[in-house]
Amino acid sequence: MLTFLALASVVLLGIVPEQTQAIVIYTGWERHALLGSDVRVSCFFFSWRWTSEDVTFSWTYRPDGSRDSISIFHYTGGMAYVDNMSPFRDRVEFVGNPGRRDGSILIKNLDYADNGTFTCDAKNPPDIVGRPSSVRLLVFEKVPIQAGVITGAIIGVVLGLLVLIVVIYYLMRFLVARRVFSLSVSKHGKKKKEGSQQRQWHPPPSSSPLLLLLSLPR
Amino acid sequence: MLILLAAIFVLHIIGIILLLVATIDNAWWMTDTIATDVWARWELANGVWNYTDLPTGSHYPTDYLQAVQASSVLACIFSILGIFVFVAQLFTLPKGQRFTISGIFQLLSCLSIMIAASIYTDRFHLDESVGWYGHSYILAWIAFSLTFISSITYFVLRKKTA
C-alpha cells in the first residue's frame, strides 16, 4: 500500500509540472547590521522541480540614492564568480548550499557606503520564470532597539511568571492532597465507603502525617 | 448587601475603563499642535492631523518608553483578569472568606499603572516648557487610586452569603 502511494506520488510529481510554475524567491525584507561587522544576506527559492545541477544565483546591488544596479556575484555550474571591479570584490563570499536551494552570501567588513538594496535572482532550469527578490541593508553604528521588543519581553515575562505561580500552586495542592490521602488509606486499610463519601480537603497543618495518625478513629 | 456588591463591581469596571482609555487614547502630553501618547504622535499641520512616530534621541529614551508601554498594558490585563477572578470567586468562595486573589490582581494592576505613570513623569518632557499633560495621563493616575481602593476593598471584604 505504502509503496503504491510512493510510486503514485513520484509519477504525479513528474507529470504535474507540465505547466511550469514560477520559481519563488525569498529574501528578508531588511537587514540591520553594525558597522565593521559581517552580514549574511540570505536567499532561498522554492521550485516545483527537483534542484538541477545548473542552478544559478545572481546577486545585484543598488546603492541608496542611485538608480543603477551593478552585478556583484554570480554562481553557476558549481562555481562562484565575483566581479573584480565591484565595491565588494574581496568582501563577498558564497555561504549558500545550492542542493538545499540556499543562495546566501556573506558580506564582510561593512561600511556606510554599503547601504543599499541587494537583489537575488535564482534560476533552476527548466524552471526559469521567477521574480527576483530584494533585501535592504542598513548599516548602523549602534543597532537601535526595534519597536516593541522590550515591551513584548516585559509583558511576556510577567504573564509567564503569573502562569507559573498558578501552576505551581495547584500542583502543590494536588501533590499534598495525594500524599495525605494515600497515607491515610494505607494506615486504615480498606475503609468502608458508606460513612466517608465526603472527603473534604482540609489544608494540612504543619505536621500532617503525625496528626493523621493521632486522629485515627478508634 | 446587593448594593455593596454592585458598587464594588462598578468601581472595578470603572477602573478598567479608565486604564483602557489611558493606555489607548492619544493624550499623555499635548501642545496646541501636538498630541502624544506612549505609542505615537499626532501633529497638526495645515489643519490636518498627521500620524507620526515618536521622536528618538537622548531626550526621548526608547527603552523607558517601551517600559511604560509594557506596564500600562499589564495594568489593563491584570485588571481585566481581576474582574473575571472576582466573579468566579463570588460563586466558589466558601462563606466567611476574603477575596484575596481578586485583591492581589487589583493590587498588581495598581502597581503597574503606578510604575508606568511614574516612569513617564520622571523621564519624559523634562525640559519642555510648552505643553501640558493630557487627559490620558491624568486618567492613569486616577485609575491608580481607584484600583488601589478596589484592592483594599477586596482584601477587607468577607463573603456573607453562600
Side-chain angles (χ1 to χ4, degrees), chain A residues 146-151 154-155 158, chain B residues 63 66 69-70 73-74 78 105:
Chain A
Q146 296 200 310
V149 165
I150 300 182
T151 313
I154 295 177
I155 295 179
V158 172
Chain B
D63 28 12
Q66 297 197 1
Q69 288 175 350
V73 169
L74 276 175
F78 280 133
F105 272 100

Side-chain angles (χ1 to χ4, degrees), chain A residues 20-36:
Chain A
T20 41
Q21 314 263 354
I23 198 173
V24 185
I25 304 178
Y26 304 102
T27 60
W29 188 251
E30 256 184 18
R31 288 304 307 266
H32 297 195
L34 279 175
L35 186 70

Side-chain angles (χ1 to χ4, degrees), chain B residues 25 27 37 51 58 64 114 139 143:
Chain B
D25 198 13
D37 72 347
Y51 192 73
S58 57
Y64 284 115
M114 184 186 79
L139 284 181

